Amino acid sequence: MQSQDVAPHPASASGPAIDVEQAEATLVEHYPRLVRLAYLVLPPGLGRNRRVLTAHGLVQRALPRGRALSAVNPSQSGGRHSAGASHRSGGAGGAGSQAEGCDGDPGYALLRLRVVRTALEAGRPLRGTAWPKRPQLPPLLPLVWGLRLFPRSGGADELALDQRLSALSAPARAAHVLRGLEGLPEGGVRRVLSAAGVADPAAAIREAASVPAEDALLHSPEFDPCALQARPTDLMRRRQHTKAALAAAAAAAVCGALLTVPSGGWGPDGAAAPADAQNPAARAALDPARVTRVAPTAWQTSARTDFSVWPARGGLTGDRGLLRRALAVWARPGESVRVSATPGTPSGGPAGPPQLLYAGRVDAARVVVLYDGLRIVRYAEPSNGTDGAALDLARADAASGAEAEALVLDRADGNVRYLTAPWVRAAVQRDLARPSAGAMDLRPADGVTAPLASPAQQSGSCGSWNVLQLTDGSGTRVLADLGELMPAHLTVGRPAGPREASGAADLLTWAPFACSLAAVRSQGVRSVNAWEFARQSLPHGSGVAQWVCTRADTWRGDAPRVLAQFRTPGGRSGAVAAQAEGVAACGAKDPHVLAGVLWKSAGGAWYLLAAGSKDTVSVRTTGQVNGSARGSLLTVRTRQGVRAGLRGTLTDGRTVGGLR
C-alpha cells in the first residue's frame, strides 16, 4: 500500500449552526451509508473483520460534542442521489429514502467530513508517531467476542475493485469513494479532502483516476458492513483460554461457596426429585420408538388443517438410528452442528415424544422433520456420515390453513424444495414480480416438490421473486420463501379482511412490490399483506400514482415491519416512502396509514405528496412545509431537500401522524 499524504486538518470556515440533536437524527438516518463510506476508505490491510468494526466505531463517534456546532462549508457539495428522472421518494415526516436528505444537508456534510477525516487517520501507520490517535487503535465499541464479522462475498468484479483500491494511497482511495459512492464532482471531492486534512487533494484525485469508475460495484453487498456474515475465531486457542478461565472461575467459586454456605445448607427443592434423576417424560421424548405417527388418511376425516394431521412421509421413516440421532441433536446439539432458529423460537429439546412429519433422502442429505405442537424442527446430515449436520427450528404455533400447507425441506445450490400438506392438489412456481409469466408445475411426489430457484439468498439488484402457489380443495394460496423453514403467507386487501393473493388482479397488486420482501428476510415472518390504500393524481397531468402499504407480521407476535410504498405511473417497482417497526398501522387493530414523499415533475418542479387511508378527512403538514387539504390526499409545491411532518384527522376525530 502506498504512503498516505494526510496533513493535520486545517481550520475551516464556519457554516450555519447545527443542533447536535439534528446531527444525531441525520447520523441515524444515513448510518448504513456512512458506515459503507468509512469501510471503503479504510485500508484493506486491516482485515475485513477489523475494517467492519472500525467503520462502525468511526461513524458512531462522528457525532460532535456540544449542544450546537457549525457546519463546515468546504465539504458541503451535493451528490447525485437520484431515485429516477421522474420522481424521488424523499422524506415527508421523516419517512423518505435516505438519498433525499443528503443533497445540501449541512448536517450530513459535516458527518461525512468527520468520517472521512477519522478514516484517513485510522489508516496512518503507528511507527513514527509519538502518541497514536484514537482512530489508529482497535475500536473499543462495538465489541464482538468469539466471532469474526465480514460482509457477504461478491464476485470477481468486486474482488478486482477491492484489489485496485488497496493499491491506492488513503487520500486517493477516499477521492475514488467520494466520487463513486457519494457522487461528488471533482470540485466537491477536492473540498472534502482539503477539509479532511489531505495535503495535496489534486494529486489524490489524479491517482484515483487510475481506477475506472465502477459506481454500481461500490453499492454491492461486498462493501456493505451492515449486512454481515459471521464465522468463529480460532477455536483451538479459544478453547485453551476458556479452559484456563473456567479452572480459575471454578477455584474462585469453591472458595466463595465455602465462605457463604449457611450452616443449614441451601433451601430444599421441595417435592422435586434429585437433579440427576432420569425423568421418564424426558427419556420418552428421545426414544425413536415413541415418535408419534399420524395415519395417512387422518387428514381426510379431521376438521383440522394443521400439522397435527400430517402423516409421516419419506423413505426412511423406519430408520431408528436416523431418528435417534435427530432427537438427540435436537435435545443437545454438539459443537459441530450448525443450529439456526427464527427469532423468538425456543431452542430446547421436546417436552414429550414429537410427531414425525418426514424422514428420507433429499438430494445429498438425509432429512428428518419433526413437530412438537409449537415448533417445526428440521435435522439434516450428509448421506455419507454425520459431519456437517444441521438443525433448524421455527415457530409454528397455531399454524393452520395456508400457514400449514408447506415447509422448506431442503436448500441446495440456490434452490429450495418444499414438503407440502397431504391435501394439496397442485403446486406451481411463479414469478411474483412478473405475474404475466407462466407458472412451472413442481409435480410433488409424496409431498416433495421439484427444486425451484429461491430468492432468499439473492443479492444485488432484484428483477424477480419466485413464490410457491398451492391449490387445495378450498382455493389457491401463495407462499414466499424468506430464508426460513416456514414460508410467509402472502395476502392482499384491507387489513380487516385480507384475501388470498392468487387472482390475476391480486398478483398485479403485488408485482411492483415483490422485491420489498427482501427487507423482511430471516425475521420470523408469518404473513405479509399488501394493501393499496390510495391512488393520487400527479401534478401537470403526469398520471396517477399508487400508494401501497405492506405489513409483515411475525410468528412471535411482536415487531411487525410496515412499509408505505409509492409507485409512479409506469414504474416497474415501488419506492419506500416510509417504514416503521412495532406499530399497529396497516394492521387489523389499526387499519390506518399516512405517508408522504418528495416528488420531482418532468419539468423540474418539486412537490410534497401525501396520502392517507380512505377514512382520513384532512391532512396537513408541519415543519418546513406549510400546507393542508380536505380529504385523504395532499399536494403542495415545495423545494428539494425540505423536511416536513404530517398530521391527519380521521372520521372518528382521532389524529394520526405520518408513518415513521
Side-chain angles (χ1 to χ4, degrees), residues 142-154:
L143 186 62
V144 178
W145 287 89
L147 288 175
R148 293 173 56 252
L149 303 177
F150 49 91
R152 299 179 182 274
S153 298

Side-chain angles (χ1 to χ4, degrees), residues 5-12 41 72-75 109-122 124 133 170-171 174-175 178 188-201:
D5 187 15
V6 182
H9 58 84
S12 302
V41 175
V72 181
N73 288 331
S75 69
L110 174 64
L111 293 172
R112 177 175 61 197
L113 171 60
R114 293 176 66 90
V115 168
V116 172
R117 178 185 297 155
T118 54
L120 292 174
E121 291 175 350
R124 298 172 66 184
K133 293 188 176 183
L178 288 170
V189 174
R190 183 181 297 108
R191 287 190 290 273
V192 173
L193 294 180
S194 177
V198 175
D200 192 351

Side-chain angles (χ1 to χ4, degrees), residues 438-505:
M440 183 181 73
D441 189 358
L442 297 176
R443 297 185 176 88
D446 198 21
V448 180
T449 69
L452 64 150
S454 170
Q457 297 177 343
Q458 69 181 9
S459 59
S461 60
C462 173
S464 65
W465 196 279
N466 291 333
V467 293
L468 176 69
Q469 183 173 293
L470 301 176
T471 302
D472 59 20
S474 60
T476 301
R477 282 79 181 247
V478 175
L479 306 176
D481 179 21
L482 298 182
E484 297 168 325
L485 278 180
M486 302 289 290
H489 179 207
L490 302 186
T491 58
V492 295
R494 295 188 59 83
R499 61 184 181 276
E500 298 295 336
S502 55

Side-chain angles (χ1 to χ4, degrees), residues 482 484 488-491 510 516-531 549-565 580-583 585-587:
L482 298 182
E484 297 168 325
H489 179 207
L490 302 186
T491 58
W510 254 113
S516 67
L517 290 171
V520 292
R521 285 185 290 203
S522 302
Q523 300 295 316
V525 172
R526 183 171 191 162
S527 62
V528 187
N529 183 58
W531 170 36
C549 186
T550 57
R551 178 184 173 93
D553 287 302
T554 64
W555 284 97
R556 60 191 182 278
D558 62 356
R561 290 286 300 274
V562 180
L563 302 179
Q565 304 190 59
E581 183 173 333
V583 298
C586 293

Side-chain angles (χ1 to χ4, degrees), residues 87-404:
H87 93 282
R88 296 195 178 196
S89 56
S97 69
Q98 293 181 355
E100 293 301 329
C102 300
D103 295 342
D105 183 349
Y108 178 80
L110 174 64
L111 293 172
R112 177 175 61 197
L113 171 60
R114 293 176 66 90
V115 168
V116 172
R117 178 185 297 155
T118 54
L120 292 174
E121 291 175 350
R124 298 172 66 184
L126 288 173
R127 59 182 179 275
T129 304
W131 190 260
K133 293 188 176 183
R134 181 67 192 88
Q136 294 176 271
L137 302 175
L140 296 176
L141 292 174
L143 186 62
V144 178
W145 287 89
L147 288 175
R148 293 173 56 252
L149 303 177
F150 49 91
R152 299 179 182 274
S153 298
D157 293 338
E158 287 86 351
L159 178 60
L161 176 60
D162 196 38
Q163 292 173 344
R164 288 193 292 270
L165 290 177
S166 66
L168 297 177
S169 66
R173 191 165 49 250
H176 181 88
V177 175
L178 288 170
R179 179 189 63 188
L181 183 67
E182 291 294 293
L184 297 183
E186 181 175 334
V189 174
R190 183 181 297 108
R191 287 190 290 273
V192 173
L193 294 180
S194 177
V198 175
D200 192 351
I205 293 174
R206 287 195 300 270
E207 183 183 350
S210 64
V211 176
E214 296 177 290
D215 301 355
L217 292 181
L218 294 176
H219 292 84
S220 72
E222 170 77 9
F223 306 112
D224 185 5
C226 290
L228 300 173
Q229 293 179 314
R231 293 293 185 273
T233 55
D234 189 332
L235 297 178
M236 294 302 297
R237 181 180 301 175
R238 195 171 79 194
R239 187 175 298 172
Q240 294 170 355
H241 292 172
T242 302
K243 288 181 179 178
L246 288 176
V254 170
C255 294
L258 293 176
L259 294 174
T260 58
V261 173
S263 59
W266 285 296
D269 292 333
D276 58 352
Q278 293 294 317
N279 185 280
R283 291 201 308 269
L286 303 181
D287 185 353
R290 298 199 176 192
V291 168
T292 303
R293 301 166 189 263
V294 175
T297 58
W299 63 272
Q300 298 177 0
T301 56
S302 175
R304 306 183 66 164
T305 55
D306 55 23
F307 292 112
S308 68
V309 293
W310 277 36
R313 288 171 287 181
L316 299 178
T317 55
D319 189 337
R320 290 199 175 185
L322 173 62
L323 298 181
R324 186 182 302 277
R325 291 193 297 274
L327 292 168
V329 169
W330 182 1
R332 49 183 192 280
E335 293 183 355
S336 63
V337 178
R338 291 173 293 139
V339 181
S340 71
T342 58
T345 304
S347 58
Q355 178 184 345
L356 178 63
L357 303 184
Y358 184 87
R361 285 185 172 84
V362 184
D363 295 327
R366 291 188 290 258
V367 178
V368 177
V369 181
L370 300 163
Y371 173 62
D372 68 349
L374 173 67
R375 299 165 294 176
I376 293 291
V377 177
R378 175 185 173 273
Y379 169 79
E381 64 182 25
S383 295
N384 56 358
T386 59
D387 292 339
L391 183 72
D392 303 306
L393 303 96
R395 285 187 63 163
D397 45 312
S400 182
E403 297 166 348

